[in-house]
Amino acid sequence: MTIALDTAISGLRAAQRALHTISSNIPNAGTEGYSRKILPQETLLVGGQAVGVRLQAVVRNVDMTLLKDLVRQISVKNSAQTRESYLSRIQDFHGPAEAERSLSAQVGKLADAFSELSGSPDSDIQLAKVLTSAQETASTFNRFTRLLDDLRNQAQAEIASAVTEVNRALTSIASLNQRIAVLDSRGDSTAEFEDQRDIEIRKVSEYLEVSSFQAENKRIVLMTRQGQ
């Protein structure tokens, strides 16, 4: 009778823990970085007889292959967006081909003006046209130089900010790796800290193309495309 009662109590406790896990999953379904948690259970046997339920540490229900691909795609997307943001400003400067605002268009106009002047070297009108075209071409070169300087300064500022954020995220990942390894060695749940680590890894992937593999005690090793 005592064994049966203990078995029933064990089952009720397991059900209560499982409900607690589910109740945490539902409100956090839309929380960024949160992964679905599950509570592994197994039958506790003594002498071949079931005497209760043994609960294991809460784990995440995550497809690691998809997670790695997500990190890679974040890197690819952000790289493309960064290129587009800078190149679009250069494209806007030159404008559409029919507008003839580009450097090549201005140089072409200047060449045409000199060509016309060569046919009438004494023409004041042609001389004025060459002068105007030369001034416009010089002005375009100056404006384009200023644009490139602005882009370079913006890039340097963004790089400095990115380095600071990447260093912060890497420090956080190292700390979480250590905490996860300690918990895993004790058989405790590491799920919440793994979620936090995934968020930091995604932060790194916004600036660097990285890959990862799992080492001992659930530590994650990050590598750049160059193998660093």
Side-chain angles (χ1 to χ4, degrees):
M1 180 67 180
T2 301
I3 295 177
L5 183 59
D6 289 343
T7 301
I9 292 174
S10 175
L12 288 173
R13 287 175 178 170
Q16 184 178 24
R17 287 280 305 280
L19 286 173
H20 176 74
T21 303
I22 294 173
S23 67
S24 178
N25 285 331
I26 294 174
N28 286 295
T31 302
E32 181 183 3
Y34 184 85
S35 62
R36 179 172 172 264
K37 309 298 189 298
I38 57 177
L39 179 65
Q41 305 176 21
E42 61 181 10
T43 302
L44 181 60
L45 299 175
V46 175
Q49 180 180 359
V51 295
V53 179
R54 177 186 287 120
L55 298 178
Q56 300 178 14
V58 173
V59 297
R60 306 190 304 163
N61 185 20
V62 173
D63 188 322
M64 295 304 297
T65 301
L66 288 178
L67 188 59
K68 288 181 180 181
D69 189 56
L70 171 63
V71 169
R72 188 180 67 84
Q73 293 300 329
I74 289 174
S75 299
V76 172
K77 183 200 71 164
N78 280 22
S79 175
Q81 287 180 337
T82 300
R83 289 173 182 269
E84 192 274 336
S85 67
Y86 281 87
L87 293 177
S88 64
R89 290 180 62 183
I90 294 177
Q91 183 177 8
D92 289 342
F93 174 87
H94 290 298
E98 60 271 15
E100 296 186 346
R101 298 200 322 252
S102 65
L103 285 174
S104 60
Q106 291 293 340
V107 171
K109 290 179 181 178
L110 180 59
D112 291 341
F114 271 112
S115 177
E116 292 175 3
L117 178 62
S118 66
S120 305
D122 297 330
S123 172
D124 291 338
I125 295 177
Q126 295 301 329
L127 285 170
K129 186 175 180 181
V130 168
L131 178 60
T132 300
S133 182
Q135 290 173 336
E136 291 177 351
T137 301
S139 176
T140 301
F141 268 103
N142 289 334
R143 287 188 291 109
F144 190 59
T145 299
R146 288 195 295 270
L147 172 62
L148 293 181
D149 286 340
D150 290 343
L151 292 176
R152 181 172 60 251
N153 292 335
Q154 180 182 341
Q156 290 174 342
E158 290 182 356
I159 288 171
S161 176
V163 168
T164 300
E165 178 61 16
V166 168
N167 286 337
R168 183 208 61 78
L170 290 176
T171 300
S172 178
I173 291 169
S175 176
L176 289 167
N177 261 342
Q178 184 63 28
R179 184 174 297 183
I180 288 169
V182 171
L183 290 174
D184 186 65
S185 66
R186 299 201 307 240
D188 295 334
S189 176
T190 62
E192 297 296 336
F193 295 112
E194 289 182 80
D195 282 352
Q196 295 176 30
R197 186 176 60 188
D198 285 346
I199 292 175
E200 298 295 353
I201 291 174
R202 285 199 287 272
K203 285 288 184 183
V204 173
S205 72
E206 291 178 6
Y207 304 101
L208 297 173
E209 186 174 342
V210 293
S211 59
S212 64
F213 65 89
Q214 186 166 299
E216 185 181 9
N217 292 127
K218 294 185 178 180
R219 288 186 176 93
I220 287 292
V221 178
L222 285 183
M223 295 180 62
T224 65
R225 186 171 57 179
Q226 294 74 25
Q228 296 173 312

